[in-house]
Amino acid sequence: MEWVLCLGHVLLGALLLPAAGAGARTRRRAVEVASVAGVLLGVALVVAGQAGADEWRSVAFEARATTPAGFVVAAAWLVTGALAARIRVTEAALTGVAASGLVLALAGRYVVPALLFWLCASLALAVAAGSRPRWALLAVSDAAFCCGAVLHVVNEDTWGFASVEGAPLAAFAVAAAVRAAAYAVWGPGREATAVLVAGGGVALASAHAGSAETSAALVFTTVALAVAVAALLRSETGPRLLATWGGALALAVCFAAPADAPVAAAAAALAVAAAALWPYTAGRGGVARALMVAAVPLTAGFVIVSGGALAAFERATTAGGDAGWAIVAVLLPAALAAGAVLGARVARTDAPAFVPEAILATWVLLGAAIAVGIGPSLVGNEGLLGDSGGTLALQLLALVAGVAGAIGMRRWSSSIEPPPLLGPPAETPSARELPQRAQWLVAGVAALVVVATAWLSVAGLRVGFL
Amino acid sequence: MSVPAGSLRGWATGARAAGAVFAFGFLLGLVQGPLLAVVGGLALLTLGRCVGAAGSDDLFLGGSLAVLAVTLQAGGFRWETLDLAQLRGAQAVLGPTLLVGPGGAAAGSWLALGAGAAALSVWLATARRSDPPGRVVRGLWFTEAALGSLALVTVFWGGSIPRGSFGGTDGFAALGQWLLAIVVAGGAAVAGALSLSGASRWRSWVLAGAGAAALAALALTATAA
């Protein structure tokens, strides 16, 4: 039944297509049912990876690939279902195609099939994304991914696609960074597609980061803090901030502590999904978003930031320690402070539209983030605090104290001046149209990617790796 | 539809309570864990404070927490560990971080403690600005001051009470010394906070100075250890 976990999403997409011509109510119900099934498939993929399911064809169900893939596709389907009344059936169907492609690419054991499935997913995402700037983003990312795959094959003289190091990993880091930054240029609309693009980028880094890389960890940590500081100084909080901040932090942890990379990718997927739902959560979603932005204890964000900081500290204090790791070890805890301030501003920033399903989905995402934060062993991570009974008891006690404090203050606060609200975030600007030359350049890059993939496939067939 | 402000204040208070419980649990040794857990608890507490902060007060709260985190990390670099039990154990054997050589590490530790106390003062002064009057509120503020000073004392003047000596003269002396250190550190932070409450325009300078001192302390302790 492993094939269901891989191909189930594209089957859901195919089953949705006949509903494209139906009435509005039928279309919505069809999308909602497919989304529920898609979320369950994503969760099942995570569980299968943890349990060490059998291989299927060229796919290996290893946790480092299936955990991030499962979270990303589940988050994308959750967003699709929450916005079922607003999303087109064709976009939902393409979500299914892209989800299957992503799963097969990330869990693939060999370079060529993984690359082919990745490009299939990109093609589906490009059709769903529906604008040239977004195509450009996908083309640049895929070019970097393709370059990394070719370098891996040539340098390592292997067709296997386990962990990657050196120049190929640097190329993957570029591909991941371009995708993770998708929200910075995405513009409004196509939210589920944005989740697959941005979350897929971090999942790519998670699946293939074979070794800790000082430069990459330092760059991404610095970018995350720069994003936070810029947002705070310019008083700009919005979905772009949430998604970019979460993606950058997750990438930093992928390269600082590869063992924590699956959890980092999972946390990034949850953050990007929360960002996608933000514009539709007027009145009720602020606290949930805030807790996911802030990377505070009891959430997945704290698990990854503290895990990355501890790993960097240990490398910095071993014999011949690197100053770069010392800087990462200091910057990541500083990110906790920045996250606290960002979270508070996010909590006080409202949204323009009210969609009850989106609010419910945001709280589901927070529930998943807390589940991973309190019990990281659920996703195969020991976590900074371990999983002793005392630690669990303290976390639960803190959670109870938090809920009790919240309820108590709500009853007492009628005589107290309420905190100042910041109003809804500014409208996300639409992605700018590309100049003519840039469009030709993007087309050229895409063509090169196709040619390189074809060359690699032919080379692989010649040696008979299939 | 607008955000229900009363609900927001409720959640902010809940975050403060959760953060305080979390941090106290590790600092009091109820649960073994790393220093980063304490920083995380302080971050959750700061999140709750920032929700009710007006103007740019949240920037001061976050900035002072960042400086405090750096100073605590400086202590961790001194002993090359972030584990609280190992920090306490090293100090129990060799003495408080502030008094143990080499000279560069000790100087860095003193600098870090001063920076940490200054940052804590800024945090407390800023938090006080958004507090309504009342005994309970004041009590919570002093509790947060105690939490911050406990974190500093644990890293810079900590140490386990020798086993078997509890009840004996040595045990009570060690306990008394520990409590006195918390009172001194907390008192200094509270005094600084009350001073800054009346001269809030100095917050920026104090925080900037504390930040520079914290980075210098980090460099000293990381290289001299």
Side-chain angles (χ1 to χ4, degrees):
Chain A
M1 293 299 288
E2 286 80 10
W3 67 270
V4 175
L5 301 177
C6 300
L7 300 178
H9 303 281
V10 70
L11 287 176
L12 287 173
L15 289 171
L16 272 175
L17 285 175
R25 196 169 178 178
T26 305
R27 290 199 306 266
R28 178 176 173 172
R29 287 285 173 259
V31 171
E32 286 174 348
V33 170
S35 300
V36 170
V39 170
L40 292 175
L41 281 176
V43 172
L45 182 62
V46 174
V47 172
Q50 296 300 319
D54 292 336
E55 293 178 354
W56 179 71
R57 302 296 176 101
S58 65
V59 173
F61 291 93
E62 295 174 358
R64 67 176 300 113
T66 57
T67 296
F71 269 91
V72 170
V73 300
W77 279 116
L78 185 67
V79 171
T80 303
L83 302 178
R86 296 168 179 253
I87 203 168
R88 294 181 308 165
V89 170
T90 49
E91 185 186 346
L94 288 166
T95 296
V97 174
S100 278
L102 194 68
V103 170
L104 290 164
L106 292 175
R109 288 189 295 147
Y110 302 106
V111 173
V112 171
L115 188 55
L116 288 171
F117 286 127
W118 183 266
L119 293 183
C120 286
S122 289
L123 186 60
L125 290 170
V127 174
S131 81
R132 292 192 181 96
R134 295 167 181 168
W135 296 346
L137 188 146
L138 288 168
V140 170
S141 165
D142 290 346
F145 178 61
C146 188
C147 180
V150 170
L151 283 174
H152 176 70
V153 169
V154 170
N155 290 354
E156 303 297 323
D157 193 23
T158 178
W159 294 100
F161 211 21
S163 59
V164 173
E165 297 179 358
L169 184 59
F172 283 7
V174 170
V178 170
R179 286 206 172 204
Y183 238 97
V185 299
W186 196 258
R190 310 290 200 267
E191 286 84 4
T193 308
V195 171
L196 283 171
V197 171
V202 184
L204 173 66
S206 164
H208 295 291
S211 62
E213 299 288 336
T214 321
S215 308
L218 193 53
V219 164
F220 287 121
T221 306
T222 307
V223 165
L225 283 171
V227 165
V229 170
L232 290 172
L233 293 178
R234 292 162 61 180
S235 298
E236 281 183 8
T237 53
R240 288 195 297 181
L241 162 70
L242 175 47
T244 312
W245 157 259
L249 264 188
L251 285 174
V253 173
C254 284
F255 293 103
D260 293 336
V263 183
L270 297 175
V272 172
L277 293 171
W278 185 335
Y280 308 100
T281 58
R284 289 284 186 274
V287 172
R289 284 193 300 273
L291 291 173
M292 281 191 281
V293 166
V296 290
L298 310 181
T299 67
F302 178 71
V303 171
I304 68 168
V305 172
S306 53
L310 187 62
F313 181 89
E314 287 172 353
R315 284 194 203 94
T317 52
T318 53
D322 190 347
W325 285 121
I327 296 172
V328 174
V330 172
L331 288 181
L332 279 176
L336 293 176
V341 186
L342 283 176
R345 292 205 179 176
V346 166
R348 290 156 55 195
T349 304
D350 204 355
F354 176 72
V355 177
E357 293 83 3
I359 293 172
L360 177 62
T362 302
W363 284 95
V364 168
L365 291 169
L366 175 64
I370 290 177
V372 173
I374 291 181
S377 57
L378 290 173
V379 290
N381 188 283
E382 190 181 310
L384 178 74
L385 310 177
D387 55 1
S388 68
T391 304
L392 185 62
L394 179 63
Q395 291 183 97
L396 290 175
L397 182 63
L399 190 61
V400 167
V403 172
I407 294 172
M409 177 50 83
R410 282 188 70 176
R411 292 184 179 179
W412 187 54
S413 66
S414 58
S415 61
I416 303 173
E417 190 177 334
L421 301 176
L422 299 177
E427 287 292 323
T428 305
S430 300
R432 293 180 192 170
E433 192 53 60
L434 289 180
Q436 190 73 20
R437 284 186 186 176
Q439 293 179 27
W440 282 111
L441 185 61
V442 166
V445 167
L448 275 175
V449 169
V450 171
V451 166
T453 304
W455 171 78
L456 207 58
S457 304
V458 168
L461 285 169
R462 279 183 181 166
V463 300
F465 76 91
L466 279 176
Chain B
M1 171 170 294
S2 63
V3 179
S7 171
L8 205 55
R9 182 171 284 280
W11 282 107
T13 304
R16 287 170 59 189
V21 167
F22 195 80
F24 267 125
F26 286 98
L27 285 172
L28 294 176
L30 301 176
V31 177
Q32 297 304 318
L35 192 55
L36 290 170
V38 176
V39 176
L42 293 174
L44 189 50
L45 201 155
T46 302
L47 168 65
R49 277 289 188 184
C50 286
V51 171
S56 59
D57 281 355
D58 55 356
L59 295 179
F60 282 99
L61 288 169
S64 49
L65 174 63
V67 173
L68 189 59
V70 172
T71 63
L72 294 176
Q73 290 256 79
F77 271 101
R78 164 62 187 94
W79 295 110
E80 294 186 348
T81 181
L82 290 178
D83 185 77
L84 285 166
Q86 291 181 10
L87 280 170
R88 294 190 192 100
Q91 294 178 83
V93 172
L94 299 173
T97 306
L98 296 176
L99 303 181
V100 177
S109 300
W110 279 103
L111 195 57
L113 178 62
L120 183 58
S121 298
V122 173
W123 194 96
L124 291 170
T126 308
R128 198 163 178 260
R129 287 159 62 97
S130 59
D131 274 347
R135 284 186 188 175
V136 173
V137 173
R138 282 286 169 262
L140 292 174
W141 186 79
F142 279 109
T143 304
E144 290 166 350
L147 178 60
S149 50
L150 178 59
L152 289 170
V153 167
T154 299
V155 174
F156 295 106
W157 197 273
S160 303
I161 296 176
R163 280 183 184 275
S165 65
F166 215 98
T169 309
D170 287 345
F172 278 119
L175 181 62
Q177 198 181 51
W178 180 68
L179 289 172
L180 181 63
I182 294 172
V183 168
V184 168
V190 167
L194 293 174
S195 304
L196 285 173
S197 294
S200 58
R201 68 184 182 278
W202 287 100
R203 286 186 302 167
S204 306
W205 294 105
V206 172
L207 189 58
L215 291 174
L218 185 69
L220 277 173
T221 55
T223 53

